[in-house]
Amino acid sequence: MASFIDPRRVLSTPLTEAMVCLQRAPFVVYAICDPVTNLPVYVGQTQNIVSRFGSHMRCWTGDQRPQRHPSISRWLATLGSSPFIDRSTLSMPQPKVPGRRGHKLIQPDPWIASHLHLYSGLPLMPKLAILDRAETRQDVMARETDWIYRFADRGDKLFNLGPHKTRVRQAWKGFARHEIRDVKPKPPQADDPRADGTCCDLADGDGQTSA
């Protein structure tokens, strides 16, 4: 069953040691999760989880300007300490952007803004989970898509999934056709530990992470 890993440990791991220390496979499927609800908000795949998660966190720290529309970057920026987010709507002091004046602020993620009683400790670090491992790019893409569909089918709201699941297919456009030929959700086999769907649960009933 998928379990959370300490995001600080990921960020402090050298890039060259990502596979040995964290991945234990050439490719991994990961989920960025809400630190309050434990629910996944974004599913991705990568060859280096340290580098990929670090790039996500640039929006959390404010080193990178997030997108204005609903996105994982705006969610992370709202959750973190980004000066690009309009903190006045969150009843928080507005940090300044060094070297910039008059920049237009971005509205915070609406879910966090409307549930501030749950996120009273902002900034909060997102949670990270390794969902799956794979040996090839084609395999990890198929597994990533499978996890996205599993979470979507149970009602989870993912930023990397449009209303008609079109963003999944758009993500394949950068790969050669032979690499994505068989990339589609497949029903789990009888001997697949995910067959009963329990692997989709990142936390048990009392909110504790699963082992």
Side-chain angles (χ1 to χ4, degrees):
M1 183 174 293
S3 59
F4 296 120
I5 57 177
D6 186 349
R8 293 178 178 82
R9 177 191 171 198
V10 177
L11 295 174
S12 63
T13 300
L15 293 178
T16 54
E17 298 180 15
M19 189 169 74
V20 175
C21 297
L22 300 169
Q23 297 179 198
R24 302 195 303 276
F27 299 91
V28 293
V29 179
Y30 65 93
I32 295 177
C33 304
D34 190 296
V36 174
T37 66
N38 287 340
L39 295 175
V41 297
Y42 182 88
V43 174
Q45 53 84 13
T46 182
Q47 196 170 3
N48 191 305
I49 189 62
V50 175
S51 174
R52 185 68 179 117
F53 186 62
S55 67
H56 282 302
M57 290 298 289
R58 286 179 55 81
C59 292
W60 188 91
T61 59
D63 292 329
Q64 180 175 315
R65 186 180 180 89
Q67 297 173 327
R68 292 187 173 276
H69 58 77
S71 61
I72 184 62
S73 65
R74 188 178 73 166
W75 181 84
L76 285 168
T78 305
L79 196 66
S81 53
S82 172
F84 296 105
I85 295 295
D86 185 355
R87 301 282 167 182
S88 64
T89 59
L90 303 176
S91 300
M92 298 175 63
Q94 186 67 44
K96 296 182 179 180
V97 181
R100 299 190 63 173
R101 294 181 180 180
H103 64 279
K104 190 173 182 180
L105 297 176
I106 297 173
Q107 291 300 304
D109 178 82
W111 168 265
I112 297 177
S114 61
H115 293 78
L116 282 179
H117 62 289
L118 299 177
Y119 299 86
S120 58
L122 291 177
L124 295 173
M125 183 78 75
K127 291 189 175 181
L128 178 68
I130 299 294
L131 301 176
D132 226 328
R133 294 172 171 83
E135 296 296 322
T136 65
R137 173 71 69 181
Q138 182 177 359
D139 188 23
V140 77
M141 291 173 66
R143 290 175 182 269
E144 175 195 32
T145 305
D146 180 62
W147 278 103
I148 289 174
Y149 275 66
R150 284 172 182 265
F151 286 138
D153 288 343
R154 77 172 192 179
D156 292 326
K157 306 299 182 182
L158 301 177
F159 285 112
N160 55 330
L161 189 62
H164 304 291
K165 302 179 180 179
T166 55
R167 293 190 186 182
V168 177
R169 297 189 180 278
Q170 289 175 357
W172 300 342
K173 291 182 179 180
F175 297 93
R177 179 168 296 182
H178 73 274
E179 289 186 288
I180 64 175
R181 182 175 51 203
D182 298 322
V183 176
K184 59 183 178 180
K186 301 178 177 63
Q189 303 300 314
D191 58 349
D192 190 335
R194 298 172 295 170
D196 60 359
T198 56
C199 254
C200 291
D201 295 319
L202 293 178
D204 54 27
D206 61 1
Q208 299 299 312
T209 52
S210 305

